[in-house]
Amino acid sequence: MDSKRTPDSRFSDLPDWAYAPNYIDTLEGYKDLRVHYVDEGPKDADRVFLCLHGQPTWSYLYRKMIPVFADSGARVIAPDWLGFGRSDKPVEDSTYSFNFHRNMIIAFIMALDLRNITLVVQDWGGLLGLTLPHAMPDRITRLLVMNTSIAVGQSPGKGFEDWRAYNAANPDLDIAALMKRATPILSDAEAQAYAAPYPDVSYKAGVRRFPDMVMTSPEMEGVDHARAALDFLTHNWEGESFMAIGHQDPVLGPPAMKWLHSVIRNCPPALDVPEGGHFLQEWGAPIARAALSHWGDN
């Protein structure tokens, strides 16, 4: 498989990003593709926070939450999806599919033998990640859910369709500009850090593909997993949950999150973040502290 690897120099001197890179290139089914992940805290900790990013971000998105989780004594792991961040980037758009990503993260969890996982998700981190608890109920015990959904074959609405069309019309997406527009609290340097993994358009196949992969019709790949996840989370989920909602999200804001809250069994009242946007991790430190307090982890 033809893939690209972003030069390490692109990741030097990023603001608030002092985490050493970790890599694995032996995942079953992904031979010779190298997956990057942040791995902080004790390796033998009794709790693991697995933080899954979405599009067009990478593990840098979790820089405000990682230290809060780690300070509680937990192990904190934030991988980059293939095609994103410091992970390898297959160059063909057709490589990327729902199952390509889902099978990778399952192989990743198994390879690292992660247990007692708190799944921390947003955007595609949730579209993929929320299909994992029913497949790994003995490993995933808690959910921290932010501005995401479960895609069961229906369009989220005009806002999403407009975004999908914009993404399709801009194959060389200006990621720094997008992040600054969506998250005005970012400095210019932070916005550029989100663009660091992508020296040119040839590195952006994964970024291009995610919006088209959202399951907006019932025949699309992944709908079966999403429907199984919805049924499991509604009727059989026995773990703990915590939800935070960024109110400035034009697509996955309060209405979408109210629905998601209603289908996660025993989910407590959500934490509302009135100023928070779609990339809610940028307001993440107090959210992480609130979740830890709710669970009695600190």
Side-chain angles (χ1 to χ4, degrees):
M1 183 182 296
D2 189 13
S3 66
K4 292 202 166 191
R5 184 169 293 173
T6 305
D8 287 343
S9 60
R10 298 277 298 185
F11 300 99
S12 61
D13 301 321
L14 301 184
D16 298 320
W17 192 247
Y19 301 113
N22 301 269
Y23 299 101
I24 185 168
D25 60 4
T26 57
L27 294 182
E28 184 175 354
Y30 298 84
K31 182 173 169 38
D32 299 329
L33 285 175
R34 192 176 76 167
V35 173
H36 163 262
Y37 60 102
V38 174
D39 192 348
E40 296 294 312
K43 300 297 183 288
D44 60 351
D46 62 353
R47 292 170 291 119
V48 176
F49 285 81
L50 180 61
C51 304
L52 303 182
H53 70 85
Q55 189 258 8
T57 60
W58 56 289
S59 51
Y60 184 76
L61 181 68
Y62 282 99
R63 70 194 180 284
K64 297 179 180 180
M65 303 183 84
I66 291 169
V68 180
F69 295 143
D71 285 349
S72 76
R75 184 181 183 185
V76 189
I77 297 177
D80 294 333
W81 299 109
L82 287 166
F84 294 80
R86 298 184 83 141
S87 290
D88 285 352
K89 299 169 181 67
V91 299
E92 294 295 332
D93 290 28
S94 60
T95 300
Y96 298 91
S97 68
F98 186 93
N99 287 329
F100 175 80
H101 290 295
R102 185 175 185 269
N103 292 339
M104 185 280 284
I105 198 64
I106 290 174
F108 179 86
I109 291 169
M110 298 301 291
L112 272 63
D113 194 23
L114 303 181
R115 299 178 183 273
N116 197 16
I117 298 169
T118 298
L119 203 58
V120 186
V121 300
Q122 175 264 346
D123 191 79
W124 261 103
L127 290 169
L128 287 159
L130 292 176
T131 72
L132 300 179
H134 79 277
M136 316 180 88
D138 57 330
R139 292 180 182 266
I140 297 172
T141 57
R142 299 192 304 201
L143 303 174
L144 199 172
V145 183
M146 300 169 284
N147 293 68
T148 188
S149 190
I150 302 172
V152 292
Q154 297 176 332
S155 173
K158 184 177 185 300
F160 171 76
E161 297 299 341
D162 288 347
W163 159 241
R164 177 183 268 177
Y166 178 84
N167 185 82
N170 292 273
D172 191 11
L173 185 68
D174 187 337
I175 292 171
L178 170 69
M179 294 302 298
K180 193 68 182 286
R181 185 166 63 249
T183 315
I185 64 172
L186 290 177
S187 69
D188 289 344
E190 288 172 320
Q192 287 297 330
Y194 281 109
Y198 314 103
D200 62 52
V201 66
S202 66
Y203 290 78
K204 294 181 181 177
V207 173
R208 286 193 294 272
R209 279 287 295 145
F210 259 152
D212 286 341
M213 286 163 43
V214 176
M215 295 87 80
T216 52
S217 59
E219 74 280 359
M220 291 182 68
E221 181 176 311
V223 168
D224 54 343
H225 292 300
R227 289 180 174 172
L230 180 62
D231 182 73
F232 176 82
L233 291 171
T234 302
H235 299 109
N236 302 110
W237 170 245
E238 296 182 352
E240 297 182 278
S241 306
F242 188 87
M243 178 177 286
I245 304 173
H247 281 226
Q248 301 307 310
D249 187 334
V251 177
L252 294 174
M257 293 299 286
K258 182 178 180 181
W259 171 81
L260 185 58
H261 182 275
S262 74
V263 301
I264 299 177
R265 185 169 179 257
N266 296 328
C267 190
L271 173 67
D272 290 307
V273 186
E275 71 279 13
H278 175 66
F279 301 101
L280 194 55
Q281 294 93 326
E282 289 294 345
W283 292 263
I287 295 170
R289 288 193 290 268
L292 292 175
S293 178
H294 174 75
W295 290 322
D297 283 11
N298 57 0

